[in-house]
Amino acid sequence: MLEGARSADADFEMDSRLASKHLVMDLPLCRVMLEDTSDFVWLVLVPRKNNLSEVHDLSKEDRYVLMDEATKAASAVKKVATTLNGKEPTKINTAAIGNICRQLHVHVLTRYEGDKAWPGPVWGACPAVPWGEKAQEVKDLLIAALNE
């Protein structure tokens, strides 16, 4: 088990489109996944609760936890992107869209002015360039940042 991770609920089922991403760790509510596109430091938070599609489907307490975890993820992607790129991101985008994959999940990613999709949305803007062998290094940096 990853440092700081806890075991997930045994009955939790994750949509295959989310499960295909790189597992980073489990936080108290969310499974943290790394999007396999090296153009952006991009985490996807998936609450480990079944049959949810909207933030308001969560209990009030879990909504607070989700916001806390999204904030922690934003700090982590900012720190890791700064380390990898030598400068702070211009913006951190946080979004729960779910038009294609309906299972509740929250995207937290870094944006730089002039990146491949700037200033528009990243979805479908450019073909993904996978992390490849660098994925483990990025995951390790993210785990360290999320554990701070």
Side-chain angles (χ1 to χ4, degrees), residues 29 49 52 55 58-68:
L29 176 64
K49 306 265 183 173
L52 300 176
V55 172
L58 290 165
S59 69
K60 185 175 185 178
E61 178 180 301
D62 283 344
R63 287 194 304 270
Y64 288 128
V65 174
L66 177 61
M67 184 56 69
D68 186 57

Side-chain angles (χ1 to χ4, degrees), residues 20-142:
S20 68
K21 301 173 188 324
H22 297 282
L23 173 64
V24 177
M25 66 186 300
D26 284 343
L27 294 173
L29 176 64
C30 294
R31 177 149 298 156
V32 181
M33 308 298 286
L34 173 64
E35 188 75 42
D36 196 15
T37 179
S38 61
D39 293 313
F40 310 95
V41 180
W42 184 343
L43 292 177
V44 178
L45 306 179
V46 185
R48 292 189 322 277
K49 306 265 183 173
N50 290 324
N51 304 314
L52 300 176
S53 60
E54 306 293 345
V55 172
H56 66 262
D57 292 337
L58 290 165
S59 69
K60 185 175 185 178
E61 178 180 301
D62 283 344
R63 287 194 304 270
Y64 288 128
V65 174
L66 177 61
M67 184 56 69
D68 186 57
E69 291 180 0
T71 301
K72 181 182 279 261
S75 294
V77 297
K78 179 179 181 179
K79 180 174 186 170
V80 171
T82 301
T83 298
L84 295 174
N85 297 310
K87 63 179 182 176
E88 284 192 2
T90 307
K91 183 79 175 81
I92 307 296
N93 289 175
T94 304
I97 299 173
N99 294 341
I100 295 172
C101 175
R102 301 286 168 91
Q103 182 173 11
L104 177 59
H105 60 287
V106 177
H107 299 268
V108 181
L109 62 139
T110 58
R111 299 296 306 274
Y112 286 91
E113 191 167 345
D115 68 34
K116 289 183 178 181
W118 189 266
V122 296
W123 292 271
C126 54
V129 177
W131 284 106
E133 293 180 11
K134 195 164 183 157
Q136 188 59 52
E137 174 191 347
V138 175
K139 286 171 42 176
D140 290 343
L141 290 168
L142 287 163

